[in-house]
Amino acid sequence: MRTNTAVLVGFFCCAAALLGSAVIAEDAYRYFTWTVTYGTAYPLGVPQQVILINGQFPGPSLDCVTNDNIILDVINLLDEPFLLTWNGIKQRKNSWQDGVLGTNCPIPPKSNYTYKFQAKDQIGTFTYFPSTALHRAAGGFGALYVRQRSVIPVPYDLPTGEMSLLIGDWYKAGHKSLRQTLDSGKTLPFPDGLLINGMPQFTTFTGDQGKTFLFRISNVGLSLSFNFRIQGHKMKLVEIEGSHTIQSLYDSLDIHVGQSYSVLVTLDQPPKDYYIIATSRFTKTVLTATATLHYSNSNSPVSGPIPAAPALNYHWSMLQARTFRWNLTANAARPNPQGSYRYGNITRSRSLYFASSAPLINNKQRFAVNGVSFDLPNTPLKLADYFNIPGVFTWDGIPTVPNNGPVILGTPVIRANLHEFIEIIFQNTENTMQSWHLDGYDFWVVGYGSGQWIPKKRKSYNLVDAVARHTVQVYPNGWSAILVSLDNQGMWNVRSAMWGRQYLGQQLYIRVWTSEKSFANEYDIPRNALFCGKAIGHHS
């Protein structure tokens, strides 16, 4: 199990030594072996079965440097097939390693698979989690950090140390029970609690007065947004999902499912202990998880009421989201500024307008996009495409604008050409928060709004310094618009980051392709590729 203490001071001495050895030769190789098992933990005070990686819940942090080659052997000792996906890692030219059921066969029980991928041209805070069978509700998730190469400075002074905060909603019911709930045609119940690093009242983080620390905060939950704050302290936002931001100060931050933020916190208050708080947002029943920020010279425990979150206000949250801006002068993972690619001057080749819905099909709850609820086949779409296996999916089997026709089950793949520049509008037709993720890319979040999106809303887009990220929230009965350059060939998942919705059909795939066969565009099928469904009998 994860230890109950985390000491800040001195972390970076060790990290710097590791980084120093890693950057002597570029594109180093890092080898990992992860064994996935069941174990018993007490996240909410009662014993329950959780998924451990190398005996840890949450799983170990995967720490690497930009362009490192990751060789990670996953040994599955569960009683079910298992996959990990690398949330926010672009998998350049390599959707073979994306770790979702549209691109990979799951690892059979008592078997293994070795992922081979590169954290190419990225710096930032990401996560990994299981993508199969609602395993995410049992654990198996962890932090994934891509640090800068020695030749790339980050736009802030090196902090004294750093914190990892994996925060999300949690159920006392096991993942198999929750899966039965979804399979029976019901939605997931309201969660039982919030966890910070696997506990509702987490450890004490210790630091020296006057020093500055980096807090990496990720929402690893299934369904709920949360508000994050530190009693008596301002947070300087410096990075969102691989993008360095304009460094503004915040009292609290709304963080939605699947998203990651990095903030700098200076211990500039009187020496005592302070609450670190996460509370669920936009819920009638408010769930709370806390940790403690402990000044090393403190003799006073935490005291006073837990500071309140902002009022239950979607408009406040949307206004905050609009304040997040790309730092156009900060270096990206390559030695050129983030703003050197002027996305606002690119002519879009087409627009995709995706509207969510929550229909009943055969009296069972499903979720859909533009009238199609995704029906997951037992053959990965990537393999079916590669081997020309018919009957697995339907090309362009989904309208690219919302329609009011009957909702159907389908397995749609939208065809797109390599290097297209497209607009995607996510329309939320329901009175609940939503969150959307695109594998293989980051994208510019150019607009949020209420009501129905119409073309004249483009006049409000931020075409200069919108943050590039991989997961975008969509407010109730509202819309969010993104621009994305389809420069990464492969089969890529567009999905709800809220896992019950994804499980019941709120997802689809986009195949980005060119007829030019070249390893400069896409790597070949891995020699160790797993085969399942109709792909059995084919050979790499």
Side-chain angles (χ1 to χ4, degrees), residues 302-321:
V302 290
S303 61
I306 293 175
L312 193 86
N313 190 317
Y314 293 115
H315 184 63
W316 180 95
S317 186
M318 188 186 297
L319 289 178
Q320 182 186 75

Side-chain angles (χ1 to χ4, degrees), residues 256 314 317-318 321 428 432-433 448 473-480:
H256 307 279
Y314 293 115
S317 186
M318 188 186 297
N428 185 348
T432 58
M433 278 298 305
Y448 305 94
Q473 72 272 24
V474 192
Y475 292 92
N477 299 304
W479 57 269
S480 297

Side-chain angles (χ1 to χ4, degrees), residues 62 68-70 86 89 91 94 97 115-119:
L62 179 56
D68 277 357
N69 295 281
I70 307 300
W86 317 96
I89 299 301
Q91 303 291 0
N94 200 17
Q97 305 291 342
Y115 290 88
K116 300 177 182 178
F117 63 89
Q118 192 175 23

